[in-house]
Amino acid sequence: MQQKIFHQQSPSLLAFAALLAGNVAIAFGPLLVRYADSGPIATGFWRLALATPFLLFVGYRFGFRLSAVSRPTYWLALVAGLFFGVDIILWHIGIFQTKMANATLFANCASLLLVIYGVIIARKMPSKWESMAVLFAFVGAALLMGQSLELSPRHFSGDLLSLGAGLTYTVYLVLMMKMRQNTESWGALGMASAIAAVVLLAAAVFAGEQIIPTAWWPVLLLAFTSQFFGQGCLTYALPHFSPLVIGLALLLQPALSASAGWLAFGETLTAMDFTGSALIMVALVLVRKQ
């Protein structure tokens, strides 16, 4: 009840802040995956397994009850969790098999696919301001990633895995949008995360990965930044915006990954990086005007 009252007081501002904050938190996840010393799939398992109890607890505090969930919602959670699990498997392996710039670019093809979904499937044409925002966002992303993108046979498998992650993540987001129409956000994410965790554990065992990390801080930070806070904020924001706006917001992640590379690995930021990031920020300001 408390959450519903807060929605009524200031839904748009709160949801937009959550959308931005969620993408900021998720953007730094790949760095933590690289720092973790468990296998890449096992790292994804811990990301979900550690966060899920807290997601379900917060959902319970906001009125979520598993006993009240309808059968269609259970099926949505099951399929969403399966796609989310596959997304994390592909993404976490791809991070180690290609350049960070390539992985970020291909994994965020979900932004373009959500824009297409919003226009064609949802049959909602963008307004003049939204069209300008789409143009600015994708030109910004092209500038940001263009000079660092390196297509080569050496990176092909990682690029392909990252592209697969973007495709499965798109399906996951569309399913979560449907699920959020009648389900509390934290509980919905907790259900999908629990299912994805089972998928990841089975895959990690099958792949023969090291399951238990020797250093716990990377997986703990990953669980509570990328999953609990990042995905929690994003899931909360989903029903408040069109797929077009959600897709544009996802482009924050490649913009911030350039900063993450600079902070963690000393990668140089050029004028094109700053210009691309600025165009993405302008695009978000334009869609906020709607």
Side-chain angles (χ1 to χ4, degrees), residues 255-279:
L256 291 169
S257 72
S259 299
W262 171 63
L263 291 170
F265 305 118
E267 297 176 356
T268 303
L269 294 177
T270 67
M272 289 182 66
D273 292 320
F274 286 112
T275 302
S277 298
L279 286 173

Side-chain angles (χ1 to χ4, degrees), residues 64-180:
F64 174 78
R65 299 292 184 273
L66 280 171
S67 59
V69 175
S70 65
R71 181 172 296 181
T73 301
Y74 273 119
W75 279 108
L76 279 175
L78 175 62
V79 180
L82 291 173
F83 273 94
F84 193 33
V86 174
D87 161 55
I88 293 178
I89 291 171
L90 297 175
W91 170 233
H92 282 199
I93 296 175
I95 288 170
F96 290 94
Q97 296 187 12
T98 188
K99 294 178 61 179
M100 185 71 74
N102 292 34
T104 305
L105 175 64
F106 287 117
N108 279 280
C109 72
S111 57
L112 175 60
L113 294 175
L114 281 175
V115 170
I116 295 172
Y117 171 81
V119 172
I120 298 178
I121 305 299
R123 297 182 181 179
K124 181 180 180 182
M125 294 299 296
S127 66
K128 178 182 69 175
W129 289 108
E130 288 174 336
S131 298
M132 291 178 61
V134 170
L135 177 62
F136 284 168
F138 285 108
V139 170
L143 289 175
L144 188 66
M145 308 303 293
Q147 61 183 353
S148 55
L149 179 66
E150 181 183 327
L151 297 177
S152 71
R154 183 164 56 94
H155 298 143
F156 180 74
S157 61
D159 293 342
L160 197 61
L161 289 167
S162 299
L163 181 61
L167 295 172
T168 51
Y169 190 54
T170 304
V171 177
Y172 162 75
L173 287 175
V174 171
L175 291 169
M176 290 302 289
M177 288 177 191
K178 295 181 180 298
M179 191 174 173
R180 279 286 286 116

Side-chain angles (χ1 to χ4, degrees), residues 161-227:
L161 289 167
S162 299
L163 181 61
L167 295 172
T168 51
Y169 190 54
T170 304
V171 177
Y172 162 75
L173 287 175
V174 171
L175 291 169
M176 290 302 289
M177 288 177 191
K178 295 181 180 298
M179 191 174 173
R180 279 286 286 116
Q181 291 174 1
N182 56 14
T183 311
E184 190 276 332
S185 62
W186 298 95
L189 179 58
M191 292 173 65
S193 298
I195 294 163
V198 174
V199 173
L200 285 160
L201 180 59
V205 171
F206 179 79
E209 289 189 352
Q210 176 183 333
I211 305 297
I212 307 297
T214 56
W216 282 94
W217 69 266
V219 294
L220 285 168
L221 280 178
L222 186 65
F224 289 99
T225 56
S226 287
Q227 189 62 25

